[in-house]
């Protein structure tokens, strides 16, 4: 699609400003309702109003649409005159990646020893920031709950930057994520977030991404303090399920136990086990993401309908051109009709003799 011609008006009608920022590699630090705040490489901040599909920057004050942002940030090198086809190709690449994101991620069966997890710090790697943004998570949310560190790559043994959540309350074990798979570091088990309080609701998730997704939603809607007072349990796959069930059995003083299990076989098994542990009082909140495989899939960024409609129209147009060309080629290759002529050069025709039968020439 790099050679396709896209005008500024078309570009603005198809591409949300927020998606352009992600495609360009900017990192979203925070979001409040419809406002998303991006950190630019030069230190400036760009704010996107997703409801108005517009952006704004200070010093100097400026604002505009997606096509104006392409030019403002020096992305004009990706265009040829008023054609935004090259910039559009970046966004298409982003959409292709979105369509390939699964509703849940698997777990690597082999654990890494704790000493493999080195150079730990609060998340600041730009590539990890871009990855989390593409999953719908802002960096302010990620920084609250995770650490960043290095692990030797399984095949190349080169350092690989990953995000990790602590496993257990008094251990140094972690559950790491590199964008493709979860990986256990040290001892297996469940993760917990929050402090125990009187008359408290317990929220149970299958994996860290579902937990971070819900936290992102409450931060955006300014109800994070309410959710932060609750107790959160993350199973981290099959390894933490037994531990979580034992914990819930030995702590009957929770006001409610609400589960956000993914819509798959393990999710059903996990909810049944937890519900049994709390004597049938667990609350299944999969209704929050009905029609989706997980809480993560429900709230992660989607490919906009405006792009899908444009893409369908382009495919239809290309098919029409292909059919038209095929018909024209077929017409040119048709064999012309030849009438039989007699040796004298006169046309011959055959008729049936109705009285005596037979053919007469």
């Amino acid at each position: 699609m790099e050679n396709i011609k896209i005008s500024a008006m078309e570009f603005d009608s198809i591409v949300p400003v927020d998606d352009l920022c992600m495609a360009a590699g900017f990192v979203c630090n925070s979001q409040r309702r419809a406002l998303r705040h991006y950190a630019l490489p030069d230190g400036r901040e760009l704010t996107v109003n997703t409801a108005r599909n517009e952006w704004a920057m200070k010093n100097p004050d400026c604002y505009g649409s997606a096509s104006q942002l392409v030019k403002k940030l020096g992305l004009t090198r990706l265009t040829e005159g008023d054609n935004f086809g090259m910039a559009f190709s970046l966004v298409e690449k982003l959409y292709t990646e979105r369509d390939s994101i699964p509703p849940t991620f698997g777990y690597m069966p082999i654990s890494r020893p704790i000493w493999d997890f080195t150079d730990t710090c609060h998340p600041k790697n730009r590539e990890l920031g871009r990855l989390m943004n593409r999953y719908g998570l802002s960096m302010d949310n990620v920084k609250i709950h995770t650490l960043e560190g290095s692990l030797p790559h399984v095949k190349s043994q080169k350092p690989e930057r990953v995000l990790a959540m602590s496993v257990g309350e008094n251990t140094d074990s972690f559950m790491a994520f590199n964008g493709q798979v979860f990986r256990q570091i040290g001892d297996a088990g469940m993760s917990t977030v929050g402090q125990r309080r009187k008359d408290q609701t317990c929220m149970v998730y299958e994996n860290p991404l579902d937990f971070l997704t819900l936290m992102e939603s409450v931060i955006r809607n300014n109800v994070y303090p309410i959710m932060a007072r609750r107790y959160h349990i993350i199973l981290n796959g099959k390894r933490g399920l037994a531990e979580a069930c034992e914990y819930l059995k030995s702590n009957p003083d929770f006001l409610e136990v609400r589960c956000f299990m993914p819509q798959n076989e393990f999710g059903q098994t996990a909810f049944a086990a937890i519900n049994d542990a709390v004597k049938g009082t667990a609350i299944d909140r999969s209704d929050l993401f009905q029609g989706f495989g997980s809480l993560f899939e429900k709230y992660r960024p989607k490919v906009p309908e405006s792009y899908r409609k444009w893409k369908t129209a382009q495919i239809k147009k290309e098919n029409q051109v292909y059919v038209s060309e095929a018909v024209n080629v077929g017409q040119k290759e048709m064999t012309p009709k030849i009438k039989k002529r007699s040796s004298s050069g006169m046309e011959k025709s055959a008729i049936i003799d109705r009285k005596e039968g037979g053919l007469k020439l």
Side-chain angles (χ1 to χ4, degrees):
M1 285 292 182
E2 290 186 2
N3 296 324
I4 197 166
K5 292 183 178 180
I6 299 287
S7 66
M9 184 177 295
E10 266 189 306
F11 192 85
D12 291 336
S13 66
I14 298 171
V15 180
V17 177
D18 191 47
D19 289 348
L20 174 63
C21 290
M22 289 191 199
F26 305 145
V27 176
C28 176
N29 283 330
S30 65
Q31 174 167 344
R32 292 297 182 275
R33 298 186 184 274
L35 298 182
R36 286 174 64 85
H37 304 287
Y38 281 89
L40 303 185
D42 60 7
R44 289 183 296 170
E45 182 179 90
L46 181 144
T47 299
V48 175
N49 188 321
T50 57
R52 293 172 51 171
N53 195 27
E54 293 181 321
W55 58 272
M57 282 195 298
K58 303 295 183 183
N59 301 319
D61 289 343
C62 51
Y63 62 93
S65 63
S67 61
Q68 290 170 319
L69 182 60
V70 170
K71 295 181 178 180
K72 178 66 179 179
L73 296 178
L75 299 178
T76 48
R77 66 182 183 277
L78 301 176
T79 68
E80 297 176 0
D82 291 328
N83 178 24
F84 289 77
M86 291 291 285
F88 190 73
S89 68
L90 287 179
V91 180
E92 282 204 291
K93 183 179 178 182
L94 173 70
Y95 291 161
T96 300
E97 292 176 1
R98 279 186 186 173
D99 278 336
S100 65
I101 298 174
T104 59
F105 291 87
Y107 293 81
M108 185 172 289
I110 302 175
S111 300
R112 305 292 303 193
I114 188 62
W115 56 79
D116 276 355
F117 191 47
T118 58
D119 300 326
T120 57
C121 62
H122 291 292
K124 60 182 180 180
N125 182 276
R126 292 189 64 83
E127 289 304 317
L128 288 176
R130 294 186 187 107
L131 173 67
M132 292 298 103
N133 287 171
R134 294 185 181 200
Y135 290 162
L137 305 174
S138 64
M139 285 307 291
D140 281 0
N141 175 30
V142 173
K143 289 176 181 178
I144 294 173
H145 304 290
T146 68
L147 286 176
E148 173 191 329
S150 290
L151 280 178
H153 195 275
V154 176
K155 294 182 179 179
S156 65
Q157 293 299 306
K158 293 182 180 178
E160 177 186 25
R161 300 303 285 178
V162 298
L163 291 174
M165 287 193 68
S166 296
V167 171
E169 295 181 350
N170 301 309
T171 67
D172 293 325
S173 299
F174 298 90
M175 178 58 71
F177 182 66
N178 64 353
Q180 298 177 343
V181 68
F182 292 105
R183 188 182 308 169
Q184 185 69 48
I185 305 173
D187 297 329
M190 68 181 192
S191 297
T192 59
V193 179
Q195 296 179 346
R196 287 301 315 273
R197 293 183 172 89
K198 185 178 179 180
D199 300 332
Q200 193 174 30
T201 296
C202 179
M203 318 281 276
V204 187
Y205 316 82
E206 190 272 335
N207 64 77
L209 285 180
D210 284 342
F211 165 74
L212 290 172
T213 295
L214 188 61
M215 292 300 104
E216 185 72 30
S217 178
V218 299
I219 289 173
R220 291 182 184 182
N221 293 291
N222 293 325
V223 293
Y224 180 76
I226 297 175
M227 192 63 67
R229 291 184 59 82
R230 296 178 177 175
Y231 196 71
H232 306 268
I233 294 177
I234 304 166
L235 302 182
N236 294 320
K238 296 179 181 179
R239 298 184 178 188
L241 178 58
E243 182 183 354
C245 289
E246 285 301 317
Y247 181 85
L248 291 170
K249 279 182 181 179
S250 59
N251 287 273
D253 55 335
F254 280 118
L255 187 66
E256 290 180 341
V257 175
R258 300 179 184 178
C259 299
F260 302 85
M261 297 298 109
Q263 297 296 293
N264 55 29
E265 185 177 352
F266 175 69
Q268 295 172 358
T269 300
F271 177 75
I274 292 169
N275 195 36
D276 183 63
V278 297
K279 304 295 181 65
T281 62
I283 300 173
D284 182 4
R285 291 314 314 266
S286 61
D287 60 299
L288 290 179
F289 48 94
Q290 188 173 10
F292 296 89
S294 66
L295 195 65
F296 166 72
E297 185 184 30
K298 168 72 180 290
Y299 289 101
R300 66 174 173 79
K302 306 294 188 300
V303 175
E305 193 62 29
S306 58
Y307 171 77
R308 293 200 185 278
K309 289 181 178 178
W310 176 88
K311 189 71 173 179
T312 301
Q314 286 296 117
I315 294 174
K316 185 177 180 180
K317 187 185 299 183
E318 290 174 2
N319 288 339
Q320 288 175 342
V321 171
Y322 175 78
V323 171
S324 177
E325 290 177 348
V327 169
N328 290 337
V329 171
Q331 288 176 345
K332 291 178 182 179
E333 294 179 351
M334 287 179 64
T335 304
K337 294 182 179 179
I338 301 175
K339 292 183 178 180
K340 291 185 178 181
R341 294 179 178 273
S342 64
S343 58
S344 62
M346 299 295 291
E347 288 188 9
K348 290 185 176 181
S349 59
I351 61 174
I352 300 175
D353 189 331
R354 297 296 181 185
K355 293 181 178 180
E356 298 179 4
L359 292 176
K360 292 186 179 180
L361 296 177

